[in-house]
Amino acid sequence: MPVRFLLDGEVVELDAVDPTATVLDHLRYTMRRTGTKEGCAEGDCGACTVLVGALEGEGVAWRAVNSCIQFLPMLDGKAVMTVESLKNDTGTLNALQETMACNGSSQCGFCTPGFVMSLHGRTIGARGCDLPVEEVIAGNLCRCTGYGPIIEAGEGAGSCEQDDTRVIAALKALEGSASGEWRGRRWFAPRTCDELAVLLAEHPDARLVAGATDVGLWVTKGLRDLGTVIFLGGIAELAAIEESDDALTLGAGVRYADAHAAMARLHPDLGELVRRIGGLQVRNAGTIGGNIANGSPIGDGPPALIALGAELTLRSMAGRRTMALEDYFLAYGKQDRQPGEFVESVRIPRPPADAVILISKLSRRFDSDISAVCGAFALRVEDGVIEEARAAFGGMAATPKRAGTCEAALIGQPFAEATFTAAAEALKADFEPLTDVRGSSAYRVEAAANLLRRLWLRSQGVATSVLEAVDG
């Protein structure tokens, strides 16, 4: 059956669809929506930003996403807005565009449509956009204007109400599973976990794609053929968020933008970590399960979840099995996921109020950058003695990994500076990290040890964040 989506309220049907054709290419070269630009083809610059809307409850949830790494079948059953969609009935600019044009918010203009779409999302209350303007546009790069006038335009735009009545009715008519074939390559877009389990049993080698924030680059940069693809974005069960007194359970398809508030309630450091995972467009697409399932050694989420004692549930036609999250990662590029299995959910125990926790990400650029080192510690202290300690790192080994030597140096020792100094030295025996563009091996080892020292300093009321240092 065809891929069907709405563009400015009109249904677009595409019959023979390449499952890895990007939304950006289709908009620019087939539909001539040339306001959507290609700057990086990897979800980093935001020049390709569009708004994608999906039914959620009785309304439409709009999200700013990078169209350069979204595949066309991911639009099935959804609505799209490009910068051309914003013009008034008379063909003139809307208020936000007018402000951008008149107050010096654009020089060469290449990046401007992407900024406009991100900021328009904020004016209509799109998901994840209830943030300060500078955070909403952290995933949009401008190399010539400077951000001052752009921020002023965003702050001056206010909010507006969008009537989605016609969009809701049209989207309801597009509901249902989808599938297709193009030059021998098959793709599927199931709507339930039961459908997914059946498909994976029939196609155990299929590539699962949730937000495509990683897999998209395999195609745009690596030019890889993904073979049979199963798109997960339409499975509502995988987007469930359950909070209880003792745990937070997140479906594998929960987007980071949607998980942000619940994860911040679990611990403020976790919320701050999520805020720095890519730009808003990346958090609007990237999922909890995708960040885990791909097994990246530099994924930001897994080290923090491992330190907090998270458990992973996998599902297949044979049933479910649950494991400690750290046991899922076997070696570089190898995870404990059997043919026919998929990641269904992750359960994160709620830490006690008196737990001593630090989760910290170090990167060359503060916002929208990949970790050089990501460290997370969770300690239980009783009567001045460290009774339990969990320490996990990303960027230090071939997989996200616990620091066993460091943990052993902490457990049973007094909660004192000398203990943390000794444990920081012990930690250096846990890892032999690689040197790459994000940092040398020596830097990573020293930085990881310093994160443990940071935990001690923060427990003593010392400001340790670069933001606190700037504010102070």
Side-chain angles (χ1 to χ4, degrees):
M1 64 183 294
V3 172
R4 299 177 301 163
F5 63 92
L6 298 181
L7 182 62
D8 300 343
E10 300 295 325
V11 176
V12 177
E13 290 195 4
L14 307 174
D15 285 313
V17 172
D18 177 352
T20 56
T22 66
V23 172
L24 168 65
D25 283 351
H26 186 77
L27 289 173
R28 282 189 63 81
Y29 304 120
T30 300
M31 310 204 75
R32 306 305 299 167
R33 295 289 181 115
T34 53
T36 307
K37 309 293 188 184
E38 179 176 316
C40 66
E42 59 186 41
D44 194 37
C45 76
C48 67
T49 302
V50 299
L51 295 182
V52 174
L55 285 175
E56 201 165 290
E58 296 302 312
V60 178
W62 292 96
R63 303 173 192 275
V65 300
N66 293 306
S67 62
C68 68
I69 51 173
Q70 294 280 292
F71 300 129
L72 268 177
M74 297 171 71
L75 289 185
D76 186 70
K78 297 180 174 63
V80 182
M81 275 194 282
T82 69
V83 70
E84 291 89 351
S85 307
L86 306 189
K87 62 185 178 183
N88 295 315
D89 293 338
T90 59
T92 58
L93 301 177
N94 75 3
L96 170 61
Q97 292 171 302
E98 189 72 36
T99 301
M100 290 282 289
C102 292
N103 81 331
S105 300
S106 177
Q107 287 184 30
C108 82
F110 186 89
C111 67
T112 304
F115 275 96
V116 167
M117 294 309 295
S118 292
L119 293 172
H120 181 69
R122 186 173 186 267
T123 68
I124 65 170
R127 289 303 168 90
C129 284
D130 53 342
L131 298 168
V133 170
E134 57 267 29
E135 293 184 24
V136 169
I137 61 173
N140 294 84
L141 301 182
C142 178
R143 293 173 174 85
C144 57
T145 300
Y147 290 86
I150 299 173
I151 292 172
E152 290 172 7
E155 290 175 339
S159 60
C160 64
E161 202 163 312
Q162 181 168 287
D163 184 1
D164 286 327
T165 304
R166 287 181 55 207
V167 174
I168 293 169
L171 287 179
K172 287 181 177 179
L174 301 182
E175 291 183 309
S177 303
S179 61
E181 185 173 344
W182 187 81
R183 298 183 181 178
R185 295 162 59 197
R186 302 188 68 184
W187 63 269
F188 303 90
R191 295 297 185 259
T192 69
C193 284
D194 286 344
E195 283 184 75
L196 174 58
V198 171
L199 282 171
L200 267 182
E202 295 172 350
H203 307 277
D205 295 326
R207 177 68 59 190
L208 301 182
V209 176
T213 55
D214 187 23
V215 175
L217 276 68
W218 298 2
V219 174
T220 62
K221 297 298 184 180
L223 306 180
R224 287 172 59 174
D225 181 347
L226 301 185
T228 300
V229 182
I230 301 177
F231 295 100
L232 309 180
I235 303 178
E237 298 159 84
L238 293 182
I241 300 175
E242 297 179 11
E243 292 186 79
S244 67
D245 291 340
D246 61 348
L248 169 64
T249 302
L250 300 169
V254 173
R255 300 171 181 89
Y256 270 106
D258 295 339
H260 184 196
M263 294 178 87
R265 285 190 288 270
L266 203 69
H267 193 273
D269 278 9
L270 196 54
E272 177 62 9
L273 177 72
V274 170
R275 188 186 71 79
R276 291 180 59 200
I277 293 178
L280 178 61
Q281 298 94 321
V282 170
R283 298 194 299 275
N284 272 335
T287 64
I288 303 295
N291 197 212
I292 292 170
N294 69 5
S296 170
I298 52 173
D300 288 333
L305 302 187
I306 289 171
L308 294 174
E311 293 181 332
L312 193 66
T313 296
L314 296 104
R315 179 173 170 180
S316 68
M317 289 287 288
R320 293 179 173 87
R321 64 187 180 110
T322 298
M323 68 180 73
L325 178 56
E326 63 256 39
D327 294 339
Y328 175 74
F329 305 103
L330 302 178
Y332 183 76
K334 183 175 177 58
Q335 297 84 46
D336 185 6
R337 184 162 62 89
Q338 304 302 315
E341 279 189 324
F342 61 93
V343 175
E344 184 178 46
S345 64
V346 59
R347 180 183 182 275
I348 315 163
R350 194 171 297 280
D354 59 353
V356 180
I357 291 172
L358 180 130
I359 301 167
S360 192
K361 167 180 175 173
L362 302 177
S363 55
R364 298 184 70 177
R365 199 173 61 214
F366 187 80
D367 281 312
S368 193
D369 200 5
I370 297 171
S371 291
V373 176
C374 186
F377 308 90
L379 311 182
R380 180 172 64 85
V381 181
E382 291 185 8
D383 299 324
V385 176
I386 301 171
E387 297 292 342
E388 293 181 14
R390 295 176 66 91
F393 286 87
M396 296 292 290
T399 66
K401 186 179 177 183
R402 288 178 67 176
T405 307
C406 172
E407 293 176 354
L410 291 167
I411 296 171
Q413 299 301 312
F415 189 80
E417 184 173 9
T419 296
F420 285 87
T421 299
E425 287 301 312
L427 189 151
K428 296 178 181 180
D430 281 310
F431 302 105
E432 294 182 5
L434 296 175
T435 292
D436 61 19
V437 69
R438 286 176 290 276
S440 68
S441 176
Y443 164 78
R444 284 186 158 110
V445 169
E446 192 64 36
N450 284 341
L451 289 180
L452 187 55
R453 296 185 179 99
R454 175 182 288 186
L455 174 59
W456 164 256
L457 291 171
R458 193 167 77 173
S459 74
Q460 303 306 299
V462 178
T464 59
S465 165
V466 64
L467 298 181
E468 292 172 315
V470 170
D471 291 344

